[in-house]
Each structure stands twice: as structure tokens, then as C-alpha cells.
Amino acid sequence: MTTRPTGRLDRTDGKRDLILTRTYRAPIEDVWASVTESDRTARWMGAWQGEGGTGRNIKLQMAYEEGAPWCDAHIDACEPPTRLAISTTDDYGTWRLQAVLTESGGVTELVFTHHLDPDANVSEVGPGWEYYLDALGAARTDADRPDFEDYYPSMKQYYEALED
């Protein structure tokens, strides 16, 4: 299987944002549920525990990472069904993430943004988000989960070039 990288790097005001976009033939509410309901996030990324809502703290499991670790997450914004922003803290640092959904003509677009810390290595982060977003697509259609080896290290060079 050939998997092509799709991410882009946006540099604004001295900051870097990794942006990936996916589209689904589904109502926005259904895609929103795929990225916010614990039983559905468990199918592509990992379950979460706690009470959802802006300003709340939850625990998020990265079920498909080595050891299936849990991390602390803060819900920075939760605006159903269009915007979710969270900050996670784990052994790799703090990650600021955002998902923005829009629907037009029965197709929902998901724009995923990882607001990168200055020392974040996009050549490692990018392939990981490509994998997880494709896993989301697979979970939504009951398809087989993608193989991470199709993403890393094969996408590393693409993401390194974005830094140039």
C-alpha cells in the first residue's frame, strides 16, 4: 500500500502549525461523535475518561502507542459540532491540538491542527498524525486499521522538506 503524506506546515507570527485535512461523506454530527465520544475515539486513537466540556480535564489513552499510555488532557474549547481544542501532557511534552469541522452538501471536512512547540520535530510528528487520521477514516468505515510502517519512516523525508 502506498500512503501519501498530506500535511502542510503553516508559519505565522514565528509559530508553526502542522495542518492535515480529511473529508468524510457523513453529517457533521456523526464525524463530531467520532472525535469526541470515548467509545468511538477508542476505535482509532484511544478511549478517554472524565467529564467532557470546555475547561475540564480528562485522561486520554493512546491505545496504539507502545504500552498504551494514558496522558492528561485539558479541553481548551468544545463547541459542538464544529470545534474541539485540547492540550495534552505526557512524557513527550505538551501538545496543543485542534479539530475544526465544517459540512457542505453531506460532506464533512475535518481540519486537524497541531500547534507545534518550537522544539517539535515535524518529521516525527507528521507521520504519526497521518496514521491516526487514516485510522479514524478506517474506523468510520469498519475497514482494517492502517499499518504504522506505511507511514514511518517513509513519510519522514516529506515532513523534513516542509521545514526548509
Side-chain angles (χ1 to χ4, degrees):
M1 175 177 148
T2 301
T3 305
R4 296 183 188 271
T6 64
R8 64 184 176 86
L9 195 59
D10 180 57
R11 291 181 181 89
T12 304
D13 298 328
K15 297 179 182 174
R16 299 177 306 149
D17 289 337
L18 174 62
I19 302 168
L20 299 103
T21 303
R22 298 293 189 273
T23 57
Y24 309 97
R25 290 201 173 281
I28 193 171
E29 292 82 5
D30 186 53
V31 179
W32 176 259
S34 292
V35 297
T36 61
E37 293 178 6
S38 182
D39 62 324
R40 294 190 60 185
T41 62
R43 295 173 24 202
W44 63 275
M45 181 173 50
W48 59 271
Q49 298 175 344
E51 186 176 340
T54 300
R56 300 197 182 268
N57 295 314
I58 60 171
K59 293 267 190 197
L60 174 64
Q61 184 178 32
M62 299 303 291
Y64 302 98
E65 299 290 325
E66 185 176 331
W70 288 85
C71 63
D72 295 320
H74 179 79
I75 302 171
D76 302 315
C78 183
E79 302 162 6
T82 59
R83 182 171 173 257
L84 176 67
I86 66 170
S87 300
T88 66
T89 303
D90 61 18
D91 293 341
Y92 300 100
T94 299
W95 292 26
R96 295 170 299 120
L97 313 169
Q98 177 176 261
V100 174
L101 303 173
T102 55
E103 181 184 0
S104 178
V107 175
T108 298
E109 179 181 73
L110 165 66
V111 177
F112 176 85
T113 303
H114 181 154
H115 304 287
L116 297 164
D117 285 341
D119 59 345
N121 184 342
V122 73
S123 70
E124 293 178 3
V125 174
W129 287 123
E130 297 274 8
Y131 166 77
Y132 275 112
L133 292 175
D134 287 354
L136 167 60
R140 291 191 45 75
T141 62
D142 293 321
D144 291 338
R145 165 177 286 293
D147 185 342
F148 186 70
E149 290 183 14
D150 291 332
Y151 296 80
Y152 190 87
S154 65
M155 290 186 183
K156 184 176 174 118
Q157 186 175 3
Y158 170 87
Y159 279 99
E160 285 173 344
L162 292 181
E163 290 282 24
D164 296 336

